[in-house]
Amino acid sequence: MAFCLTTARPKQTVRIWSYLLCHIRFDSGEVDLTRQEIADALGASAEHVSTALGELARFGAIYKARGRWHINPDVAWCGRQEARRKRAKEAPALKLG
């Protein structure tokens, strides 16, 4: 993913992003993890996870829908193309650069 991380912890944000990519639910793009679960798995604070999620959302790489985080299907997808097209309609535009 080619974008400039402006967070104070860019390496941690990349680690969180990688972790999210490993936990995409098939055909929904949903990441069924809480902020605390992500923090515990990576040895990070919940505050740092929140900051990283906010940074990724600012670029449109992830977004919240139905109370859950989702990976933008224009960035990564695990599932059928028909389901991806449906999810892409609700996803925000990517803001790279």
Side-chain angles (χ1 to χ4, degrees):
M1 176 157 238
F3 56 79
C4 179
L5 292 171
T6 58
T7 182
R9 293 182 160 74
K11 288 181 184 178
Q12 192 166 49
T13 300
V14 170
R15 283 184 63 226
I16 291 166
W17 170 245
S18 297
Y19 190 75
L20 295 176
L21 289 176
C22 293
H23 290 86
I24 300 173
R25 292 184 75 189
F26 185 82
D27 269 358
S28 75
E30 182 179 306
V31 178
D32 193 19
L33 297 168
T34 66
R35 173 183 73 153
Q36 191 61 55
E37 288 170 330
I38 297 166
D40 291 345
L42 298 177
S45 73
E47 181 182 331
H48 292 151
V49 171
S50 289
T51 299
L53 294 174
E55 181 83 358
L56 293 167
R58 189 170 66 83
F59 288 111
I62 64 173
Y63 64 99
K64 224 166 193 183
R66 296 173 298 285
R68 304 259 185 201
W69 285 108
H70 290 71
I71 304 291
N72 187 322
D74 291 332
V75 177
W77 184 254
C78 177
R80 299 170 297 177
Q81 285 302 311
E82 180 180 313
R84 191 202 73 73
R85 283 191 291 275
K86 181 180 174 185
R87 292 290 178 229
K89 291 177 183 175
E90 72 182 22
L94 292 171
K95 299 172 194 127
L96 304 178

